């Protein structure tokens, strides 16, 4: 629905609706989402309705992360800036910068997590230790991954965001150091063949060691990727489970309300049946009174007709006698 100036009416913009949804506690998300989607369908905005309906209910950890982003905008801005600096330091492999930023990362993630827990508790949804760990994981992902940072900055985190890799001092330790090739050993001329053979063996050993290191790095990268995918699947399963639990709770509430209405209607039906039985009893009595009154009426009508006939005959006899006396 658009106004005459061509802009969407307040409350109709899809982005505003999504912002509203992801600001709600998870328990209120599904009902409001369906309400807003139905409103969009009613106003013949099918694509908007599809986008709204496709919005996934956030986990408690996702909601807490969104709540932190919305409630602490200044701290969130500084946190995002720290993430950009940390990613830049990691990209340039600056050990000094990494070490300093990693220490800062640990402090601020801990502090931001405590703020999220306090905000959630004030909103009536205290976080368990497991949920708080999910919030911390999400905040580390925001620092490490620009895509995760963009999701959090928009305030639309759905589940646990997982970092692509660990950042900090351990990253410095894992970073391959640049090594100068060893200077060739100075040997006497008579030992040239033996030296060359020794150098070739050393090069083969170094090459084997480098292949081993490359293999270990590749294996570690695959393990990190598998862990990230497993954590993402876990987050999706948790979100699906929480959404199913919310749907179950809503269905249970609807069933309870329907049961109450059924009980009330059954009570009304019992009262109506009792009243009908009373009415039937009264109807039978009224019919009997009507039949008695009809019989009495018929008898009275017959008696009245007989009395009228006798009166007519008596009057006629009297008139006849008077006429006879007058003639004499």
């Amino acid at each position: 629905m658009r106004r005459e100036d061509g802009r969407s009416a307040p409350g109709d913009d899809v982005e505003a609706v999504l912002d509203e949804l992801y600001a709600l506690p998870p328990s209120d998300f599904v009902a409001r989402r369906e309400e807003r989607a139905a409103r969009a369908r009613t106003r013949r905005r099918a694509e908007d309705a599809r986008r709204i309906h496709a919005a996934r209910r956030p986990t408690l950890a996702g909601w807490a992360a969104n709540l932190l982003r919305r409630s602490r905008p200044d701290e969130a801005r500084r946190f995002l800036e720290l993430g950009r600096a940390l990613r830049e330091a990691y990209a340039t492999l600056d050990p000094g910068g990494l070490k300093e930023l990693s220490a800062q990362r640990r402090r601020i993630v801990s502090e931001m997590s405590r703020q999220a827990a306090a905000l959630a508790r004030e909103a009536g949804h205290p976080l368990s230790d497991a949920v708080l760990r999910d919030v911390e994981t999400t905040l580390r992902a925001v620092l490490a991954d620009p895509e995760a940072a963009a999701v959090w900055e928009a305030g639309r985190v759905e589940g646990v965001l997982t970092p692509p890799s660990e950042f900090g001092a351990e990253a410095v330790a894992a970073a391959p150091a640049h090594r100068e090739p060893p200077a060739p050993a100075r040997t006497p001329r008579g030992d040239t063949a033996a030296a060359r053979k020794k150098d070739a063996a050393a090069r083969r050993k170094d090459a084997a060691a480098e292949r081993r290191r490359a293999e270990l790095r590749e294996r570690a990268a695959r393990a990190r990727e598998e862990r990230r995918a497993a954590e993402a699947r876990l987050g999706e399963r948790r979100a699906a489970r929480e959404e199913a639990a919310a749907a179950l709770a809503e269905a249970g509430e609807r069933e309870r309300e329907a049961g109450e209405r059924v009980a009330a209607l059954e009570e009304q039906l019992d009262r109506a049946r009792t009243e009908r039985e009373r009415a039937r009893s009264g109807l039978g009595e009224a019919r009997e009174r009507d039949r008695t009154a009809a019989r009495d009426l018929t008898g009275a009508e017959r008696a009245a007709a007989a009395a009228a006939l006798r009166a007519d005959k008596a009057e006629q006899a009297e008139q006849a006698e008077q006429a006879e006396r007058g003639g004499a």
Side-chain angles (χ1 to χ4, degrees):
M1 179 177 181
R2 295 186 176 274
R3 304 186 306 191
E4 292 181 358
D5 58 6
R7 292 182 298 172
S8 298
D12 283 345
D13 181 70
V14 178
E15 299 301 323
V17 170
L18 293 175
D19 287 340
E20 174 195 9
L21 291 176
Y22 283 100
L24 294 172
S27 57
D28 299 338
F29 185 92
V30 175
R32 187 67 62 84
R33 180 191 66 189
E34 298 309 308
E35 175 188 336
R36 292 293 186 256
R39 179 176 178 178
R41 283 192 294 269
T42 300
R43 297 184 176 184
R44 298 186 178 181
R45 293 185 291 114
E47 179 60 22
D48 292 350
R50 186 196 63 77
R51 286 189 60 195
I52 294 169
H53 186 71
R56 291 178 53 189
R57 176 179 178 269
T59 63
L60 191 57
W63 167 77
N66 293 333
L67 179 64
L68 177 65
R69 169 68 182 91
R70 297 173 190 278
S71 303
R72 297 289 188 271
D74 293 336
E75 289 88 337
R77 177 179 51 78
R78 289 192 291 270
F79 190 74
L80 291 167
E81 290 174 355
L82 172 64
R84 284 190 287 270
L86 186 58
R87 292 192 295 275
E88 182 178 353
Y90 181 75
T92 57
L93 292 178
D94 177 7
L98 271 176
K99 186 175 181 180
E100 180 181 352
L101 288 172
S102 295
Q104 187 178 357
R105 178 209 68 172
R106 287 190 292 271
R107 289 195 303 271
I108 196 168
V109 165
S110 178
E111 174 59 28
M112 295 285 277
S113 299
R114 285 195 295 270
Q115 290 188 32
L119 290 168
R121 187 168 53 252
E122 291 173 4
H125 298 277
L127 307 182
S128 65
D129 291 342
V131 173
L132 188 56
R133 285 194 295 271
D134 287 343
V135 173
E136 292 174 350
T137 300
T138 294
L139 292 176
R140 287 197 298 271
V142 170
L143 292 177
D145 186 356
E147 293 182 3
V151 173
W152 185 66
E153 186 175 13
R156 297 180 188 174
V157 177
E158 296 175 350
V160 183
L161 301 178
T162 55
S165 61
E166 292 296 332
F167 277 64
E170 64 274 18
V172 177
H178 177 69
R179 297 180 180 177
E180 293 293 337
R186 301 179 66 180
T187 59
R189 294 182 180 179
D191 295 336
T192 301
R196 288 177 178 174
K197 186 175 181 180
K198 185 177 180 180
D199 287 345
R203 285 195 297 272
R204 287 194 298 271
K205 185 177 180 180
D206 289 344
E210 181 59 32
R211 286 194 300 272
R212 177 61 177 168
R213 286 192 294 270
E215 181 182 350
L216 291 175
R217 286 195 297 270
E218 183 179 355
R219 188 179 302 173
R222 285 198 305 268
R224 286 193 297 268
E225 184 61 29
E226 290 173 359
R227 183 186 66 179
R228 183 182 182 185
E231 289 176 347
R233 287 194 298 271
L234 176 60
E236 292 175 358
R237 299 301 183 271
R238 283 176 175 169
R241 175 64 180 84
E242 291 187 6
E243 185 166 351
L248 177 61
E250 290 176 12
E253 180 64 18
R254 290 196 299 270
E255 192 276 337
R256 184 189 63 78
E257 293 175 354
E260 291 178 354
R261 290 195 297 271
V262 168
L265 291 172
E266 287 178 343
E267 184 178 352
Q268 293 178 8
L269 180 60
D270 289 340
R271 288 198 299 267
R273 284 172 174 169
T274 300
E275 292 174 0
R276 186 180 65 176
E277 291 301 321
R278 292 175 181 171
R280 282 179 175 176
S281 178
L283 178 61
E285 294 175 357
R287 283 174 176 169
E288 184 59 31
R289 288 196 301 272
D290 180 66
R291 284 194 293 269
T292 301
R295 288 195 300 269
D296 293 346
L297 175 60
T298 300
E301 288 175 342
R302 290 175 180 172
L309 181 59
R310 289 194 298 271
D312 289 341
K313 288 181 178 180
E315 186 177 351
Q316 291 174 4
E318 183 181 3
Q319 290 175 355
E321 184 178 353
Q322 288 178 356
E324 185 178 345
R325 282 200 301 269

